[in-house]
Amino acid sequence: MSNNVKEMEKGSISVQMENIFPLIKKWLYSEKDIFVRELVTNGLDAINKFRHLVLCGEAKVNEGEEYAINVKIDRDNKQITFSDNGIGMTAEEVKKYINEIAFSGASDFLGKYKNNDEQSQIIGHFGLGFYSSFMVSSKVEINTLSWQENSSPVLWSCDGSPDYELGEGMRTERGTDVVLTVLDEEKDFLDEFRLSHILETYCSFMPVPIFLNGKRINEKKPLWLERPADLKDQDYIDFYRYLYPYEEDPIFWIHLNVEFPVRAKGVLYFPKLRHELDPAKGKIKFYYNQVYVSDNLKDLIPNFLINLRGVIDCPDMPLNVSRSYLQQDSTMTKLSSHITRKVADELTGLFKSEREKYEKFWDDISPFIKVGMMENDKFFDAMKDALIFKTSSGKYITLEECKKPEKDCKIYYATDAEDQSSYVQMFKEQGSEILILDSWLDTHFIQVLEMKNPEMKFARVDSEVLDGAVDKDGESGIVDPATNKTFSETMTGYFKEIIDIPGVEIKLEFFKSSDMPAMIILNENMRRLQEMTSMMQRKAPEALSAHTVVINGNSSVIRNLKKMMDMLQPPNEDMKLIVWQIYDLALLAQKSMPALRLQTYVDNSRIMLEKFAAAKTGA
């Protein structure tokens, strides 16, 4: 291009250091493909500047002309050209905005036209962002023609050193061409598929058409700029599928429109997680005036919402010069709080107006809500009335509905209704409803609830014997004249003598049901501590440690065992075998049999079967 230029002016770029290019290449931009975003947004910036002038009556657009940005690949000459039909530049403006990079064209322009509406936002800073092109180029040329009457085209050229050439250009229509001669080691950027993917990533929602070799890149409308009243559920789902083509459809979404303390619009989706929260999987896409910035600006979103999906577009976002990181700013803290409050408002509103729909979503959205209530006191207060629990009957009840009129309110729950089925059945027989708390974080969550509600205590179904399941008029107080001991003392003493295991206690109750000869109960606080320790150490919970064996005095097995004790003095090996089987059956019912004990149980069962068969056959 420069071969046709006459009397090229030569000079050095005005910077505050000897050479800015190593700084740009090694530090300023985290990824080389950022140059695509910067050059396209510079083109958009130039178009928006010209639109301003047209709106203000200072310039006229050609009849039938459409604003657009065209990107073309010339593999033979190893060049990529970025063209726009925006405001263009004069020679003096090139000197100011390109050579004297301490200045910002956007800043000056905004100062003059700051009172116009938000559609005239200036996205780019045609200065430092432009220099990102040298990360992949051996030479960069600008061929530009200003909108001003009688302007001459200008050509600027630089090979990546502080020296440049400036002279007459060849452009005949208003706008700018930026031509990159790509380095040999960066020739992958000449691949149309790769460049198309980069353009789609950063520029899919820009407000002017963007073409690559004549094919339009950005045909999808930014849904977050639409009015919710004009959208249907399918519109939101289709948009989600476009953003995340390999994920299941979302279960719920929130349309954001924030005007204070900073402007922000967006759509946040609740994906299907199935009890899994992983901050590493955060995929909210952040935009700056419809230009993609990052999906890793965690300071804008609380940790408990980091697994949401969707888009947030914030034109007031205080980004650093590379646009890749969010700078610390008090307004961002306020925006984060506002997003949190907006999420809570939408959820509680759905609970109040469409509870059945809310309950349908609960299993999927509960991890977000529970973690949020544990981490954020304001979110806890906002969500406490919309917090629900699934019960053993399949219904959902609120925290308030869980509470009982008694001063010391105890709420029973199961962590696995199938594994703890015998205990759950006991509660059902008493007409008692229990909660199903089967999420990995429920152990932590119920402790927060207990702290916030001191009158409320949670107890797993296997932590104690339900009062309603016990016959208070049982025979535990009747003394046997032969031994001068009560039935309870005799049986607990006998079990203790045989089951001599550290940490195992024995007690006897008279259950209303005679089906279960014994059951295992665990101390609630000790079990929670054990589970929490295992989680912190990232290992599986240890085998059942300290526990209590509760013998059922109304079980026919226990009563017959007592008769055998009265008949046989001292007790024989068969009776000891029965005691161990009773204990092992209780462990099995609790799904807590240690691996080392399993073989003993199998051996004992085989011996009992052999004895039973022999007794029946007289062998």
Side-chain angles (χ1 to χ4, degrees):
M1 180 185 294
S2 59
N3 293 335
N4 298 324
V5 179
K6 300 177 180 180
E7 298 180 359
M8 294 290 285
E9 173 186 326
K10 297 184 179 182
S12 295
I13 299 167
S14 175
V15 292
Q16 299 297 319
M17 56 196 72
E18 185 180 43
N19 191 344
I20 195 172
F21 298 106
L23 175 69
I24 291 172
K25 291 182 178 182
K26 296 182 180 180
W27 177 80
L28 185 60
Y29 292 97
S30 56
E31 300 293 339
K32 289 183 178 180
D33 60 13
I34 292 296
F35 82 91
V36 178
R37 179 189 70 187
E38 293 301 307
L39 294 183
V40 173
T41 54
N42 284 342
L44 178 59
D45 178 31
I47 290 172
N48 281 339
K49 285 180 178 180
F50 186 71
R51 278 174 168 169
H52 271 289
L53 297 174
V54 174
L55 289 172
C56 295
E58 297 187 26
K60 292 182 180 180
V61 66
N62 297 328
E63 184 177 353
E65 181 182 11
E66 293 185 359
Y67 298 115
I69 296 171
N70 286 279
V71 183
K72 293 183 180 179
I73 298 173
D74 181 352
R75 293 182 63 89
D76 293 336
N77 293 308
K78 298 191 294 185
Q79 290 182 334
I80 305 174
T81 300
F82 294 80
S83 301
D84 69 72
N85 55 348
I87 195 170
M89 288 183 287
T90 63
E92 290 303 313
E93 287 170 333
V94 170
K95 291 179 182 180
K96 180 177 181 179
Y97 300 141
I98 302 301
N99 297 344
E100 300 175 15
I101 65 174
F103 292 93
S104 167
S107 296
D108 285 356
F109 199 83
L110 280 176
K112 183 177 180 181
Y113 297 99
K114 62 184 178 182
N115 294 322
N116 287 293
D117 61 33
E118 68 174 30
Q119 289 191 355
S120 59
Q121 288 290 327
I122 306 303
I123 293 175
H125 286 245
F126 201 110
L128 200 53
F130 160 75
Y131 280 91
S132 64
S133 58
F134 285 94
M135 292 192 297
V136 299
S137 306
S138 61
K139 182 180 180 181
V140 177
E141 297 173 297
I142 299 174
N143 194 25
T144 182
L145 177 63
S146 172
W147 69 282
Q148 301 178 41
E149 291 185 11
N150 302 318
S151 293
S152 298
V154 179
L155 177 66
W156 177 95
S157 176
C158 181
D159 62 2
S161 70
D163 300 322
Y164 68 88
E165 293 183 346
L166 182 66
E168 183 181 349
M170 298 170 293
R171 187 165 176 120
T172 58
E173 295 182 351
R174 182 197 74 249
T176 300
D177 296 332
V178 179
V179 183
L180 314 184
T181 301
V182 178
L183 291 162
D184 288 338
E185 60 266 31
E186 305 296 347
K187 62 183 180 181
D188 286 351
F189 286 105
L190 296 169
D191 180 77
E192 185 171 348
F193 178 81
R194 182 181 182 189
L195 195 58
S196 175
H197 175 72
I198 296 171
L199 285 166
E200 289 175 0
T201 298
Y202 290 110
C203 311
S204 287
F205 301 108
M206 283 189 178
V208 300
I210 298 170
F211 297 90
L212 174 61
N213 293 346
K215 179 181 178 182
R216 182 161 180 180
I217 296 295
N218 60 333
E219 294 185 297
K220 195 72 176 177
K221 291 183 178 180
L223 191 76
W224 64 89
L225 298 182
E226 304 289 328
R227 292 191 330 130
D230 298 335
L231 299 171
K232 299 178 180 179
D233 287 356
Q234 192 60 44
D235 294 322
Y236 287 102
I237 293 173
D238 290 343
F239 187 67
Y240 185 85
R241 290 172 178 170
Y242 175 79
L243 294 174
Y244 311 102
Y246 303 110
E247 294 192 14
E248 291 185 77
D249 287 349
I251 56 171
F252 180 62
W253 51 84
I254 295 171
H255 202 127
L256 293 173
N257 188 356
V258 182
E259 296 295 336
F260 180 84
V262 289
R263 292 169 298 157
K265 294 184 178 181
V267 180
L268 295 180
Y269 293 90
F270 284 83
K272 292 183 179 179
L273 290 184
R274 298 300 178 191
H275 308 313
E276 180 183 355
L277 280 180
D278 183 358
K281 294 186 177 180
K283 292 184 181 178
I284 296 177
K285 300 178 183 293
F286 293 89
Y287 286 75
Y288 180 87
N289 278 325
Q290 297 169 241
V291 179
Y292 175 72
V293 174
S294 175
D295 60 3
N296 194 32
L297 300 182
K298 295 181 180 180
D299 290 341
L300 187 58
I301 292 292
N303 285 336
F304 70 92
L305 295 179
I306 206 70
N307 280 92
L308 295 183
R309 306 287 190 266
V311 169
I312 293 178
D313 191 336
C314 181
D316 296 332
M317 190 182 295
L319 297 170
N320 68 0
V321 71
S322 75
R323 311 185 196 204
S324 299
Y325 303 99
L326 188 69
Q327 294 178 335
Q328 294 298 323
D329 188 279
S330 60
T331 57
M332 290 299 98
T333 302
K334 293 176 182 177
L335 179 59
S336 177
S337 297
H338 185 92
I339 291 173
T340 301
R341 185 169 66 251
K342 180 68 173 177
V343 170
D345 289 345
E346 292 288 338
L347 290 171
T348 54
L350 180 64
F351 170 73
K352 292 175 182 177
S353 62
E354 300 180 72
R355 179 163 173 171
E356 185 175 340
K357 183 178 180 180
Y358 183 81
E359 291 176 354
K360 183 180 177 181
F361 294 158
W362 179 252
D363 286 348
D364 289 294
I365 65 177
S366 61
F368 295 106
I369 295 174
K370 290 174 181 177
V371 172
M373 293 179 74
M374 287 190 286
E375 292 185 350
N376 190 304
D377 287 340
K378 291 183 178 179
F379 190 74
F380 183 98
D381 293 337
M383 288 299 306
K384 62 183 179 182
D385 292 334
L387 176 66
I388 58 176
F389 301 90
K390 188 176 184 179
T391 69
S392 52
S393 65
K395 297 179 181 178
Y396 288 88
I397 60 176
T398 65
L399 186 64
E400 194 63 33
E401 291 165 348
C402 287
K403 295 179 180 179
K404 299 177 182 178
E406 298 92 330
K407 184 177 180 181
D408 183 20
C409 175
K410 188 164 287 186
I411 300 170
Y412 292 95
Y413 67 95
T415 54
D416 189 316
E418 184 175 340
D419 280 357
Q420 297 150 9
S421 58
S422 57
Y423 298 87
V424 173
Q425 184 60 35
M426 183 181 297
F427 276 78
K428 283 184 178 180
E429 290 173 355
Q430 304 307 314
S432 298
E433 196 86 275
I434 64 169
L435 306 184
I436 305 299
L437 301 180
D438 54 3
S439 168
W440 61 269
L441 55 83
D442 280 324
T443 299
H444 305 278
F445 185 58
I446 60 178
Q447 292 185 78
V448 173
L449 293 178
E450 289 171 337
M451 182 180 66
K452 298 279 188 179
N453 302 271
E455 79 287 356
M456 181 182 295
K457 297 295 179 186
F458 285 81
R460 205 166 78 173
V461 288
D462 55 0
S463 65
E464 59 185 72
V465 179
L466 186 64
D467 287 345
V470 176
D471 182 0
K472 297 298 183 181
D473 297 324
E475 306 169 22
S476 58
I478 301 176
V479 177
D480 183 350
T483 61
N484 202 30
K485 292 181 180 179
T486 64
F487 180 82
S488 179
E489 290 172 337
T490 300
M491 297 310 296
T492 55
Y494 184 59
F495 270 74
K496 286 179 182 178
E497 180 183 332
I498 296 173
I499 306 175
D500 185 16
I501 300 175
V504 176
E505 295 184 6
I506 309 292
K507 64 182 294 188
L508 184 142
E509 296 281 3
F510 289 89
F511 295 176
K512 291 180 178 179
S513 170
S514 62
D515 295 339
M516 188 184 301
M519 65 183 292
I520 303 292
I521 61 173
L522 307 172
N523 180 277
E524 179 75 12
N525 293 330
M526 289 184 65
R527 181 187 53 77
R528 287 192 200 178
L529 180 61
Q530 181 182 355
E531 290 176 351
M532 192 174 300
T533 301
S534 298
M535 186 176 296
M536 292 176 64
Q537 295 176 349
R538 297 184 179 182
K539 63 180 184 179
E542 296 179 3
L544 192 65
S545 54
H547 57 278
T548 301
V549 182
V550 183
I551 306 165
N552 180 7
N554 279 334
S555 165
S556 59
V557 175
I558 299 299
R559 289 184 172 275
N560 286 329
L561 181 61
K562 175 62 169 63
K563 291 178 181 179
M564 292 176 68
M565 289 173 60
D566 294 338
M567 293 170 57
L568 302 172
Q569 293 295 339
N572 63 16
E573 291 300 316
D574 290 343
M575 294 169 58
K576 292 180 181 179
L577 191 61
I578 293 172
V579 169
W580 279 115
Q581 287 297 96
I582 291 171
Y583 174 62
D584 287 338
L585 288 172
L587 288 176
L588 286 173
Q590 224 280 335
K591 301 294 194 302
S592 298
M593 177 170 283
L596 294 176
R597 178 106 209 114
L598 183 59
Q599 186 58 50
T600 303
Y601 168 72
V602 171
D603 291 340
N604 288 346
S605 298
R606 175 182 52 78
I607 293 170
M608 291 191 71
L609 288 172
E610 289 174 353
K611 289 180 176 290
F612 177 78
K616 287 293 184 181
T617 60

